[in-house]
Amino acid sequence: MRLPLQVLAFSVILASSAAASTYTITGTVADSRTGDPVPDANIVLSGTPMGAVSLDHGQYRISRIPAGDYEMEVGVIGYAPQKIRLRIDRDEKRDFMLDSRPVRINPVLVTATRSQHLRSAVTACTDVLTRDAWFSTTDGTAGEILNTAGNVFVKDYGGFSGLKTLSIRGSGGAQVLVLLDGQRLNTAQSGIVDLNAIPSEALERIEIVRGGHSALMGSDAMGGAVHLVTRNPENGKKASFGAGHTAGSFGTGVSNAFGSFGLRSFRCFLLVNRIQSRGDFAYRLPGESVEKTRENNDVRADALFFKSNLDAGRAGQFQLGMQAFKSDRGTADHVSYTSSLGRSGETRRFANLDWRKSISSSLVVSAGGGVQTDAIQYHSLYEN
């Protein structure tokens, strides 16, 4: 009877010794730019089955780690992975700050076809610009963004405050169809669209189709088509807000404020944007010694965007989009013939409502409609 008791005592001593030689690592995983916690990140000790997943507030905990040298790796979709080497001989706290990295996927195009298709399956010459491509730039309008795209020419009629129209493969501005969330922006009067009137903060992506597209879109798509898709309300957040301002010389500034709100099956996004400039720069004409100041070269443009999504269950899904834009510009002519009397302005309003319902896995019914009003004013006072 003595031998089993001695073996049992020896086993207990070994177990106690093994428990004392293991350690624990705790810490948090966060976004390096915003400081927000990053949930669902995988934290593993490479070459071992030991690891953890970060919780909603970014915390993680790995227990019962034997002493030794390890390589620790942290990874999650949307962020660049991190690796560190460390020696475990005591309980430790290790925090990780991850750099965001966009995930490149095959974008879905709806402009080049009548239904949704992956870009790789579309035979037309297409391109897709996303927010990740222009997020770090100072491009303030859709015209400035498109000016960086290949084989697309933006005609500029007056710099910061001037009209910006689009030309694809030598076409005129009236031969390129411009859509905003599926709604045509080409006016019935001139057929052109001022891309300077659409702030970049309102856009999620831009789809470009080069070449004749009249068979699907109509005669105003002879040169191609551009689809401006506005931002959707953010998923997974009840409310989020942001604001920004870019300032320059001569009273030039771009200001915007936006917010996203969600409640159960309803989500909405709102953006307010203002572009303004005095444009009162100094100049001197050749052969003249007197310095003059540019007059009547100011601009002010205000834009309002609203977009909402509602999942009504059996009734289907509804999407409402609205835009209001108003501008007031001085019509200063060439510096040799400065005019301080002319003013021009534009007022645009549009709204569109779309409905979509999935009947089965292979049948989807959709309908939509919209209304748009445009007004362009010009007036000039003449001195007697």
Side-chain angles (χ1 to χ4, degrees):
M1 294 298 292
R2 292 181 179 179
L3 180 59
L5 289 175
Q6 290 175 351
V7 172
L8 177 61
F10 183 70
S11 300
V12 171
I13 293 172
L14 286 179
S16 176
S17 175
S21 62
T22 61
Y23 304 97
T24 299
I25 298 179
T26 60
T28 59
V29 183
D31 188 301
S32 63
R33 184 174 63 88
T34 64
D36 294 334
V38 177
D40 301 323
N42 292 309
I43 305 99
V44 298
L45 298 177
S46 301
T48 76
M50 294 178 289
V53 176
S54 61
L55 303 178
D56 290 342
H57 297 287
Q59 315 101 315
Y60 74 91
R61 178 186 179 92
I62 305 176
S63 303
R64 303 181 66 181
I65 307 173
D69 296 324
Y70 295 92
E71 182 180 66
M72 195 171 187
E73 183 174 359
V74 181
V76 63
I77 295 177
Y79 290 88
Q82 280 190 17
K83 291 182 179 180
I84 62 170
R85 297 195 65 86
L86 73 166
R87 179 170 182 79
I88 302 297
D89 54 12
R90 64 181 183 276
D91 293 340
E92 290 198 27
K93 185 176 187 299
R94 294 274 179 163
D95 296 332
F96 293 90
M97 304 297 289
L98 302 183
D99 298 326
S100 61
R101 185 176 68 180
V103 179
R104 303 296 180 185
I105 60 175
N106 198 358
V108 176
L109 282 172
V110 297
T111 308
T113 57
R114 288 189 178 274
S115 58
Q116 295 184 359
H117 285 73
L118 293 177
R119 182 184 173 192
S120 58
V122 176
T123 57
C125 181
T126 62
D127 200 1
V128 179
L129 306 178
T130 63
R131 285 188 61 81
D132 295 329
W134 71 73
F135 180 80
S136 59
T137 68
T138 56
D139 298 331
T141 67
E144 294 173 343
I145 295 171
L146 285 167
N147 201 31
T148 64
N151 299 318
V152 174
F153 179 65
V154 176
K155 297 181 179 179
D156 197 330
Y157 298 88
F160 180 79
S161 65
L163 177 72
K164 286 182 173 61
T165 64
L166 197 60
S167 174
I168 298 179
R169 295 182 175 176
S171 64
Q175 296 173 319
V176 177
L177 176 63
V178 180
L179 304 170
L180 183 66
D181 287 338
Q183 181 77 18
R184 292 172 180 260
L185 295 183
N186 300 69
T187 62
Q189 181 183 21
S190 63
I192 63 175
V193 177
D194 183 7
L195 297 170
N196 212 22
I198 303 171
S200 62
E201 279 292 346
L203 302 176
E204 184 67 33
R205 73 177 189 274
I206 300 177
E207 300 175 359
I208 305 171
V209 181
R210 302 178 183 87
H213 216 51
S214 298
L216 290 178
M217 298 294 182
S219 60
D220 47 0
M222 293 178 62
V226 172
H227 191 187
L228 309 174
V229 182
T230 57
R231 294 172 63 179
N232 282 314
E234 293 189 30
N235 288 317
K237 292 185 178 181
K238 292 184 178 180
S240 61
F241 305 93
H245 178 73
T246 302
S249 57
F250 311 111
T252 302
V254 179
S255 304
N256 61 76
F258 54 89
S260 181
F261 174 78
L263 180 62
R264 296 180 182 178
S265 59
F266 174 78
R267 292 179 293 130
C268 65
F269 172 78
L270 177 67
L271 168 74
V272 180
N273 176 270
R274 169 171 290 182
I275 298 176
Q276 62 184 10
S277 177
R278 294 193 306 268
D280 54 349
F281 58 87
Y283 67 95
R284 183 183 292 111
L285 294 175
E288 295 186 2
S289 59
V290 179
E291 187 177 81
K292 299 180 180 180
T293 300
R294 186 72 157 158
E295 297 180 0
N296 199 34
N297 195 42
D298 61 295
V299 60
R300 174 175 167 176
D302 297 311
L304 171 70
F305 281 87
F306 176 80
K307 188 174 184 178
S308 64
N309 296 324
L310 173 65
D311 188 349
R314 295 183 178 180
Q317 298 175 336
F318 296 86
Q319 177 176 287
L320 173 65
M322 295 187 293
Q323 179 206 17
F325 173 81
K326 185 176 182 180
S327 67
D328 180 40
R329 294 185 175 95
T331 57
D333 297 320
H334 189 275
V335 292
S336 300
Y337 307 96
T338 301
S339 170
S340 60
L341 303 174
R343 304 292 297 179
S344 67
E346 180 183 359
T347 302
R348 179 195 303 130
R349 298 183 182 90
F350 93 89
N352 64 296
L353 177 64
D354 295 309
W355 169 78
R356 179 186 180 93
K357 180 176 175 60
S358 297
I359 305 300
S360 66
S361 59
S362 59
L363 179 61
V364 177
V365 180
S366 62
V371 59
Q372 176 177 338
T373 61
D374 288 277
I376 300 175
Q377 308 90 21
Y378 176 82
H379 66 272
S380 178
L381 303 175
Y382 294 94
E383 297 178 349
N384 294 326

